[in-house]
Amino acid sequence: SLEPIAGHLSNLLGKEVSFISDWYDGVEVACGEIVLLENVRFEVGEKKNDELLSRKMAELCDIFIMDAFACSHRAHASTCGIIDYAKMACAGPLLSKELDALEMSFKEPKKPVVAIVGGSKVSTKLGVLKSLSGLVDYLILGGGIANTFIKASGYNIGNSLHEESMLNIAQSMLSDAVKSCQIPEIIDVVVAKEFSSQSRANTKMIEEVASDDLILDIGPKTAEIFSKIISQAQTIIWNGPLGVFEFDQFGLGTKAIAKAIAQSKGFSAAGGGDTLAAIEKYEIIDDISYISTGGGAFLEFIEGKPLPSVEALKIKGY
């Protein structure tokens, strides 16, 4: 429920903010009054973009401002359907700023362009990886995604997180990368025998990984190579850490990359929950050109997918 938020907003604004839980059939708002309505996620039909619910929402206002970039990839009643029926609809400042920054990063980026993509699964970011491989000059990989590519290159990765079903795709991308972009090799890694905050970290060259090792971070030599590539970039796109940065002994690779991005003179755009957590942990928030509030929306934009809310606003002419 958003009820606690109403009290907090009242304190921030120095003005009473009324909370209304039952708003479906309309609300009375006096001139100059501020009201906060209950979370729309409670409404049946919200996720299905129900027409009746969209109309009910549209009847509440004279102007609907869509300012939730992080939800713009969802065709839901409160983010998309309402735009069709509102008397007037427009993009808010946050949404506009997000789109401007992403346009700068992906439509006509200054070269060389470097993308850093981490995460656990190739399958969840396959569209992003393919899209980026045709756009960037260097595609740096980390996390479980990198492990899949390391194994696809013929190396032993022990018990490391990876996707066996994605090995052929990874091999294909590595072959195609010769024609499109460079995927820099990982030459050393940080491993442990078990996944734990108490695990001892050992640095090994990639060909030295044992059958009972877990790869949990890139090694210092690889981090140095990646940092040098980043230092020469004019445009940097970052989504996902390069290791298990939540455990300090496996976060040095992500920290090195974060510092390299922070020190770069190029334009940098970062998005995704884990990425934002890393940015906060390594205290570089003021050194990133643009930090996206969206995770899924950020990724879908990179893939080239239309964002339903943005498309609806375009149809409206706003």
Side-chain angles (χ1 to χ4, degrees):
S1 174
L2 293 179
E3 187 168 6
I5 304 300
H8 190 55
L9 274 176
S10 297
N11 293 331
L12 290 173
L13 298 172
K15 179 184 179 72
E16 183 181 356
V17 175
S18 303
F19 176 76
I20 299 177
S21 58
D22 184 11
W23 51 263
Y24 190 79
D25 291 317
V27 296
E28 292 294 327
V29 186
C31 183
E33 186 181 1
I34 300 172
V35 300
L36 178 66
L37 309 185
E38 181 56 289
N39 191 343
V40 295
R41 303 293 272 185
F42 288 128
E43 296 297 323
V44 176
E46 159 65 1
K47 292 183 180 180
K48 294 181 180 179
N49 199 16
D50 180 74
E51 181 182 341
L52 179 59
L53 180 59
S54 298
R55 288 181 179 276
K56 286 285 187 179
M57 289 177 175
E59 289 170 2
L60 294 169
C61 62
D62 296 307
I63 303 170
F64 172 69
I65 301 172
M66 174 55 187
D67 206 25
F69 172 78
C71 299
S72 62
H73 63 305
R74 296 174 177 149
H76 292 175
S78 67
T79 61
C80 189
I82 184 174
I83 295 171
D84 294 335
Y85 305 110
K87 297 171 190 173
M88 183 179 292
C90 65
L94 174 65
L95 179 59
S96 297
K97 190 177 178 183
E98 290 267 8
L99 294 174
D100 287 345
L102 291 173
E103 290 275 342
M104 188 182 301
S105 301
F106 298 102
K107 298 302 181 183
E108 294 182 0
K110 291 184 178 179
K111 289 183 171 289
V113 183
V114 175
I116 302 104
V117 181
S120 59
K121 295 182 177 181
V122 174
S123 56
T124 57
K125 293 188 178 179
L126 181 59
V128 172
L129 294 172
K130 287 186 174 180
S131 176
L132 286 174
S133 66
L135 169 73
V136 306
D137 299 291
Y138 295 92
L139 178 57
I140 292 172
L141 303 176
I145 291 174
N147 293 341
T148 301
F149 276 77
I150 292 169
K151 186 169 184 178
S153 298
Y155 293 103
N156 177 31
I157 60 169
N159 292 324
S160 305
L161 175 68
H162 72 288
E163 286 181 286
E164 198 73 22
S165 62
M166 290 285 117
L167 290 176
N168 288 339
I169 289 174
Q171 288 170 342
S172 176
M173 287 190 65
L174 287 168
S175 298
D176 292 342
V178 176
K179 295 174 283 186
S180 54
C181 72
Q182 292 188 50
I183 301 179
E185 286 187 40
I186 292 175
I187 61 172
D188 63 338
V189 291
V190 180
V191 302
K193 298 303 181 185
E194 60 180 23
F195 185 89
S196 168
S197 61
Q198 306 303 314
S199 294
R200 181 183 175 185
N202 291 303
T203 299
K204 292 185 176 183
M205 299 305 292
I206 194 64
E207 60 270 16
E208 297 172 347
V209 175
S211 58
D212 60 345
D213 280 335
L214 290 168
I215 298 174
L216 300 178
D217 194 11
I218 59 171
K221 292 181 180 179
T222 299
E224 186 177 347
I225 293 169
F226 288 179
S227 296
K228 185 174 182 180
I229 291 170
I230 290 168
S231 71
Q232 298 169 349
Q234 288 297 311
T235 304
I236 303 164
I237 302 154
W238 183 21
N239 179 262
L242 280 80
V244 186
F245 75 98
E246 295 89 348
F247 303 156
D248 288 345
Q249 68 272 39
F250 305 116
L252 297 180
T254 300
K255 183 178 182 179
I257 297 310
K259 295 297 183 183
I261 295 171
Q263 292 167 8
S264 168
K265 292 181 172 60
F267 177 85
S268 54
D274 287 340
T275 313
L276 302 191
I279 287 170
E280 185 174 357
K281 180 173 182 175
Y282 301 124
E283 300 179 338
I284 59 166
I285 194 166
D286 295 328
D287 301 309
I288 305 295
S289 306
Y290 193 74
I291 297 174
S292 175
T293 61
F298 182 83
L299 292 175
E300 292 201 11
F301 187 98
I302 295 175
E303 284 188 58
K305 291 181 178 178
L307 304 178
S309 299
V310 177
E311 295 305 305
L313 286 169
K314 287 179 180 178
I315 292 171
K316 273 273 194 170
Y318 299 112

